[in-house]
Amino acid sequence: MGKSMYALVAAGISIFLMGCSLSKKPAQAVPESSSESSAPRIYVTNEVSGDMTIIDVATSKVIATIPLGKRPRGIHASPDHKTLFVALSGSPIAGPDVDESTLPLPDKSADGIGVFDVQQNKLLRIIHGGSDPENFDISKDGKQLFISNEDASAVSIVDIASGTVLKTLKVGEQPEGVKVTPDGKLVYITSEESGNIAVLDPVAGEIIATFKVGHRPRSVAFMPDGSRAYVNAENDGTVVVVDAVKHKVLKSISLGKPGVIKPMAVLLSPDAKKLYVSTGRGHQVFTVSTDTNTVLGSVEVGQRPWGIALSPDAKTLYSANGPSNDITVVNLATSAVAQKIKVGMGPWGILVLGR
């Protein structure tokens, strides 16, 4: 094939891909299996392959793979569990060993929040969520999203019904984790690069406080009464205990050697007596007692566990393991790995919903 033909083919592919990117038409589900049960479903966002894997808990089988868009990461359910929201981003995937100057320019047309109907197993629409959405949380009434805009050092408040960005406020550099307080009155936003938390009053539309919590915070979990919060400090190898009323650090819980144990996601058990912490390159998920703020134990789950979730009965924990393209199923009664299930490429976020 001559050079001119190569050029024509390349141009055609470029135009085709551009059209696909700009249309942002919701993709249809790709069924994997016809056998389904009434058991809970596991939903896994796959950052690299750009899709979501749905697994039947009863059979541990993949029942559908749904294309979503570029870099699906944060995933959360609406209060009534009828809708899933997924953060999508056209910013290129970077990493600790990647020269960012060599990366392609961001595809801003791919930024948004995917709206997925659980009953139909279908992506309904993509709403604007500000620049480079990574993670978010949902207001208690289910009407608004609070979204971290990583490359813009900002948080966006979005009206779900209209898909309108109501307000965008500056926070620290590289915001990621977003969590609404149990009473719904405030929102915590972690900033990885700045090492702090911004406290948003969504009614006033203002950042009312900012405080340091350690190096590279990514995730927040609140005690049910809102008195305390737990925040990971990835580069410190710790989980930070925060006074969530006065917005200040109370103490740090060491999980292991900094740089080896890298806390990522934090997740409370339903009774709030245990905190589960994934540790990325540490390969483990730790269990911390919230009564004593001490480590109870850990289990090795696989390569770079990131997102974690619990079954509705809280007897099983699931971790999304990015490099190995699988999730790990942990029996919490025995603290043992029960099995691993293959998913898409680069699993990032995970949640479990009953039916």
Side-chain angles (χ1 to χ4, degrees), residues 23 29 31 86 136 218 222 237 245 289:
S23 66
V86 181
F136 59 94
R218 294 177 179 270
F222 285 103
V245 177
S289 166

Side-chain angles (χ1 to χ4, degrees), residues 4-344:
S4 59
M5 182 61 71
Y6 275 116
L8 286 172
V9 172
I13 292 173
S14 176
I15 292 170
F16 171 76
L17 292 175
M18 183 179 295
C20 292
S21 173
L22 292 175
S23 66
K24 301 180 82 172
K25 291 181 179 179
Q28 300 300 311
V30 180
E32 299 286 348
S33 170
S34 59
S35 59
E36 295 189 19
S37 73
S38 59
R41 299 284 186 263
I42 306 169
Y43 299 86
V44 184
T45 56
N46 302 303
E47 182 180 11
V48 178
S49 53
D51 50 29
M52 179 165 65
T53 302
I54 304 177
I55 301 165
D56 185 324
V57 166
T59 62
S60 297
K61 300 294 185 182
V62 172
I63 58 174
T65 300
I66 293 91
L68 296 176
K70 293 184 177 180
R71 294 193 71 185
R73 289 180 285 178
I75 178 171
H76 301 281
S78 60
D80 61 10
H81 290 183
K82 293 181 179 180
T83 305
L84 299 181
F85 299 94
V86 181
L88 305 170
S89 172
S91 294
I93 298 175
D97 302 320
V98 176
D99 180 357
E100 295 191 11
S101 66
T102 65
L103 295 173
L105 293 175
D107 176 10
K108 289 301 173 186
S109 69
D111 290 352
I113 302 294
V115 182
F116 180 84
D117 185 282
V118 171
Q119 184 174 6
Q120 298 182 64
N121 255 19
K122 181 179 179 182
L123 183 66
L124 301 178
R125 61 183 176 127
I126 298 174
I127 61 179
H128 183 51
S131 179
D132 190 19
E134 178 163 5
N135 217 330
F136 59 94
D137 204 359
I138 305 166
S139 62
K140 295 299 178 182
D141 61 9
K143 294 181 179 180
Q144 292 184 335
L145 299 175
F146 308 107
I147 304 166
S148 61
N149 303 128
E150 186 177 16
D151 68 353
S153 299
V155 60
S156 294
I157 304 174
V158 173
D159 177 77
I160 294 173
S162 65
T164 303
V165 176
L166 302 176
K167 194 164 189 176
T168 299
L169 301 106
K170 285 291 182 180
V171 293
E173 295 180 46
Q174 295 185 17
E176 179 173 338
V178 183
K179 191 69 175 178
V180 176
T181 56
D183 62 8
K185 294 181 179 180
L186 298 174
V187 184
Y188 271 27
I189 304 103
T190 70
S191 292
E192 299 172 57
E193 188 66 25
S194 302
N196 62 19
I197 287 180
V199 184
L200 167 67
D201 180 335
V203 175
E206 297 177 352
I207 302 297
I208 62 169
T210 301
F211 62 102
K212 293 282 187 179
V213 289
H215 295 92
R216 295 189 75 79
R218 294 177 179 270
S219 180
V220 180
F222 285 103
M223 293 295 283
D225 64 1
S227 62
R228 281 181 288 154
Y230 289 88
V231 184
N232 77 300
E234 178 189 350
N235 286 0
D236 300 332
T238 65
V239 171
V240 178
V241 187
V242 170
D243 182 327
V245 177
K246 297 180 179 179
H247 313 307
K248 68 176 186 178
V249 172
L250 295 174
K251 67 174 295 184
S252 292
I253 305 167
S254 176
L255 301 186
K257 184 179 178 180
V260 176
I261 299 300
K262 299 173 74 68
M264 295 291 187
V266 292
L267 176 68
L268 279 170
S269 60
D271 62 8
K273 292 184 177 180
K274 294 179 180 178
L275 180 79
Y276 300 103
V277 188
S278 64
T279 58
R281 295 178 189 180
H283 296 182
Q284 301 172 71
V285 173
F286 281 75
T287 303
V288 174
S289 166
T290 58
D291 289 331
T292 61
N293 287 329
T294 57
V295 175
L296 298 175
S298 67
V299 56
E300 184 160 334
V301 294
Q303 297 184 51
R304 197 171 170 269
W306 195 291
I308 49 178
L310 290 171
S311 60
D313 62 9
K315 293 181 179 179
T316 307
L317 181 139
Y318 305 91
S319 71
N321 312 314
S324 55
N325 305 325
D326 59 20
I327 68 166
T328 298
V329 183
V330 178
N331 182 329
L332 291 175
T334 61
S335 293
V337 172
Q339 66 179 130
K340 294 190 177 185
I341 304 170
K342 280 293 181 181
V343 291

